[in-house]
């Protein structure tokens, strides 16, 4: 059983205030494609997949790309703070917009936003419940601005009408409902000044002019309590703030090795306790409660194999009621007896994983999502007092009855003895006894996650499902440097780009071959962001290992990658240098160059597909342009797809669908799986085939050439 509770406001805060360290090469648009579950899924119930065993890959229905990567019917359901209204995202003229209705009419609704180009993907109820707010960028540039819709008048206004600005939500309050603290970097792109937003009037009042700190934390009174900045070692210093003055010396500090596994997790409503996820003096991050008056810390929970992850907090008091640990699967433990009883009740009603995506102020009504893994995710309205679970919507009803495949957690041992938590999905009908090993070896796609300071998790994954449906095993590996498994595993990836991090991927591939999962001459490597880098590394550093590669917005030159990071990541650049290589030193620069696939582009001998967003602020278009140019100069064929209106990943469904159409036909020609014909899939997209249409089955015909 598993559950998750985060308010939409908290989730949006995390999206906008993510540290550069955790966000460098993640891929938000692709990692969530096709699923609306907001947390990793847990146990899959065998009853869902027993009927697949009589089906073979050859006669299984071909799951349409649109069903996996197109717009969901509904997504991101929430309930208003007072429990009277429901909201969700759904298409309006093909673009995701925000819809609302009264609680008693969940099947009705009216659209309240007018986005006609990019989908709205993150929104939240204002604390007073009188308006809904959302964040949106332009063309994937990640300059997120804040917008507000008054629910009485349906008037929409831009709260932060600035150019080249990325807002952060610094704090919201349980007791002050008409104000929110915002970070705005319109004065200096490197630093976010803190402003108080009056939600009623829209007025922004400067609270703190910031000239040196990477982030802030406030308490429930919307008083700034903490500032944080990187120290010279690449760790983080935490400073108390009193009367808007930052203390001269930090009250807590981390070394570089703890910088990604230690962080404050918020204050209780009365400000008396500060929670920490803390790995200092230990390997895995444990949950601590710190008395803010005395500084004394109390251990609440710990786990030997994985870091403590999420918490469920009492919405009134802010006290932790439950915590999660995500090793191979996400598991929750309740501290509060009443909350535990509610989670147990839900566990008895729902198959697979579930979680809480929205709660009323009185905490008596929850919006609960359910991920059965081999059936489309569904969302319910849970009345805790009446003990009723009312269907709200199914996100992708078109997946009902489709041959969705279970995901198998696996532990793979690296050549130097590390355990690599991994996830394997097999083609339909390939595993007659259901033991997670195919009856005979099949073509395989090694799907590499972004980050690299991120992780793969258990649960519905649209890319896994598409590839398995097309006849491939799909293996996702948490290589060293991945997060969630303790700081020793994370720090084992330091200075190992293209070295031991790549060895882990090779070891996992060899495991799959030796276990009879994968055909040795039919393994493709594919990934986005860092996974795109890993693809380029795979085809340059180990050119005979993979049959082909698919690189989505991956960097080809680590030196130029670090030269072009967004300005608001500059306060954290030391962390990149200590984990990747410092280009300001001779040794560091040599390490970065040695790990850069660009300099070995002439070693590529296998087919390569590259996809790039022109507005990507993290991995600039030049990263793809330069390796395509080097390959052309060396006379090596490459296919290059460019999206002029996208950034780090592809937000528009028409673009996402067109990319996966090209990718599945590329893979089909390379390692022999099935594919849905391209047809006219390119027409609604903005895809520009810059190079190599002739190397993808049907692509020239789709272009009319």
């Amino acid at each position: 059983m598993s559950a998750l509770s985060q308010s939409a406001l908290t989730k949006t805060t995390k999206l906008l205030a993510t540290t550069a360290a955790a966000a460098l090469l993640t891929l938000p648009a692709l990692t969530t494609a096709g699923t609306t579950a907001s947390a990793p899924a847990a146990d899959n119930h065998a009853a869902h997949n027993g009927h697949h065993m009589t089906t073979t890959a050859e006669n299984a229905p071909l799951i349409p790309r649109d069903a996996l990567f197109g717009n969901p019917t509904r997504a991101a359901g929430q309930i208003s703070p007072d429990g009277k209204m429901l909201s969700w995202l759904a298409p309006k003229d093909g673009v995701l917009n925000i819809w609302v209705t009264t609680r008693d009419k969940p099947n009705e609704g009216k659209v309240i936003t007018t986005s006609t180009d990019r989908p709205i993907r993150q929104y939240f109820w204002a604390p007073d419940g009188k308006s809904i707010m959302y964040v949106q960028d332009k063309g994937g540039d990640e300059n997120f601005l804040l917008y507000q819709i008054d629910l009485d008048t349906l008037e929409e206004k831009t709260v932060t009408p600035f150019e080249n600005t990325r807002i952060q939500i610094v704090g919201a309050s349980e007791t002050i409902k008409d104000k929110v603290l915002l970070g705005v970097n319109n004065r200096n792109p490197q630093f976010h000044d803190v402003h108080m937003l009056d939600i009623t009037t829209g007025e922004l009042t400067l609270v703190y002019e910031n000239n040196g700190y990477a982030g802030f934390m406030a308490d429930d009174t919307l008083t700034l309590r903490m500032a944080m900045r990187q120290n010279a070692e690449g760790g983080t210093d935490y400073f108390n703030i009193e009367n808007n003055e930052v203390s001269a010396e930090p009250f807590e500090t981390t070394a570089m090795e703890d910088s990604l596994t230690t962080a404050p997790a918020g204050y209780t409503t009365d400000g008396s306790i500060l929670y920490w996820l803390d790995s200092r003096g230990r390997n895995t991050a444990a949950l601590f409660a710190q008395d803010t008056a005395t500084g004394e810390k109390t251990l609440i929970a710990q786990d030997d194999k994985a870091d403590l992850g999420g918490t469920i907090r009492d919405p009134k008091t802010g006290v932790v009621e439950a915590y999660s640990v995500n090793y191979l699967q996400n598991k929750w433990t309740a501290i509060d007896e009443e909350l535990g009883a509610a989670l147990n009740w839900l566990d008895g009603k729902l198959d697979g994983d579930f979680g809480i995506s929205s709660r009323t102020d009185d905490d008596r009504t929850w919006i609960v999502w359910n991920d059965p893994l081999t059936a489309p995710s569904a969302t319910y309205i849970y009345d805790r007092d009446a003990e009723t679970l009312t269907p709200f919507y199914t996100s992708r009803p078109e997946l009902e009855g489709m041959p969705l495949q279970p995901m198998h957690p696996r532990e793979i041992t690296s050549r130097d003895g590390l355990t690599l938590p991994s996830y394997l999905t097999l083609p339909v009908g390939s595993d007659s006894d259901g033991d997670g090993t195919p009856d005979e070896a099949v073509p395989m796609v090694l799907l590499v996650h972004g980050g690299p300071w991120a992780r793969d998790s258990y649960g519905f994954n649209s890319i896994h499902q598409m590839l398995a449906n097309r006849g491939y095993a799909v293996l996702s590996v948490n290589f060293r440097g991945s997060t969630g498994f303790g700081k020793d595993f994370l720090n084992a990836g330091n200075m190992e780009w293209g070295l031991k991090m790549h060895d882990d991927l090779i070891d996992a591939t060899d495991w799959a071959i030796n276990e009879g999962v994968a055909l040795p001459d039919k393994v493709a490597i594919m990934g986005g962001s860092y996974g795109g880098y890993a693809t380029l590394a795979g085809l340059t550093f180990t050119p005979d290992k993979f049959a082909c590669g698919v690189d989505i917005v991956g960097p080809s030159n680590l030196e130029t990658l670090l030269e072009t990071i967004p300005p608001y990541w500059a306060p954290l650049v030391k962390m990149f240098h200590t984990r990747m290589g410092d280009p300001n030193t001779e040794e560091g620069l040599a390490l970065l160059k040695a790990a850069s696939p660009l300099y070995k582009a002439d070693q590529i001998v296998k087919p390569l597909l590259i996809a790039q967003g022109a507005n990507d602020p993290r991995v600039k278009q030049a990263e793809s342009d330069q390796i395509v140019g080097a390959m052309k100069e060396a006379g090596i064929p490459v296919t290059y797809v460019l999206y002029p209106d996208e950034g780090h990943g592809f937000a528009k469904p028409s673009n996402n669908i067109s990319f996966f159409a090209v990718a599945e036909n590329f893979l089909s020609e390379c390692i022999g799986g099935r594919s849905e014909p391209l047809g006219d899939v390119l027409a609604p997209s903005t895809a520009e085939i810059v190079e190599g249409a002739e190397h993808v089955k049907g692509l020239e015909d789709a272009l009319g050439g």
Side-chain angles (χ1 to χ4, degrees), residues 130-132 148-157 200:
K130 296 177 181 178
S131 63
I132 285 179
Q148 180 180 22
I149 305 98
D150 184 290
L151 290 176
D152 287 334
T153 65
L154 297 187
E155 176 188 355
E156 180 173 330
K157 63 184 176 184
T200 304

Side-chain angles (χ1 to χ4, degrees), residues 216-286:
F216 299 89
M217 188 169 285
D219 62 18
D220 193 71
T221 67
L222 297 180
T223 300
L224 291 179
R225 293 281 296 272
M226 187 194 306
M228 47 207 96
R229 72 179 176 204
Q230 194 166 65
N231 56 41
E233 290 72 39
T236 305
D237 290 336
Y238 299 92
F239 300 84
N240 278 318
I241 302 178
E242 292 186 19
N243 300 319
N244 245 25
E245 292 289 330
V246 180
S247 61
E249 297 297 326
F251 76 100
E252 296 281 353
T253 188
T254 68
M256 185 278 294
E257 56 263 28
D258 293 293
S259 61
L260 290 182
T261 44
T262 298
Y267 295 93
T268 52
T269 303
D270 64 9
S272 65
I273 293 174
L274 171 62
Y275 290 108
W276 287 86
L277 294 174
D278 200 331
S279 66
R280 287 172 291 182
R282 50 187 300 120
N283 175 31
T284 56

Side-chain angles (χ1 to χ4, degrees), residues 427-449:
V428 58
S430 66
D431 179 16
S432 59
D433 60 5
D435 67 350
T437 301
D439 302 335
E440 57 185 34
V442 296
M444 188 180 86
V445 177
L446 180 70
L447 185 64
V448 186
H449 72 67

Side-chain angles (χ1 to χ4, degrees), residues 445-447 524-528 531-533 535-536 539 548-552 607-611 659-660 662-664 666-667:
V445 177
L446 180 70
L447 185 64
I525 182 169
M526 174 178 179
Y533 162 82
T535 296
L536 297 177
L539 267 58
C548 57
V550 180
D551 155 31
I552 310 157
L608 174 61
L609 169 64
I610 294 177
F659 164 71
F660 282 106
V662 174
E664 69 165 308
F666 171 83
L667 290 169

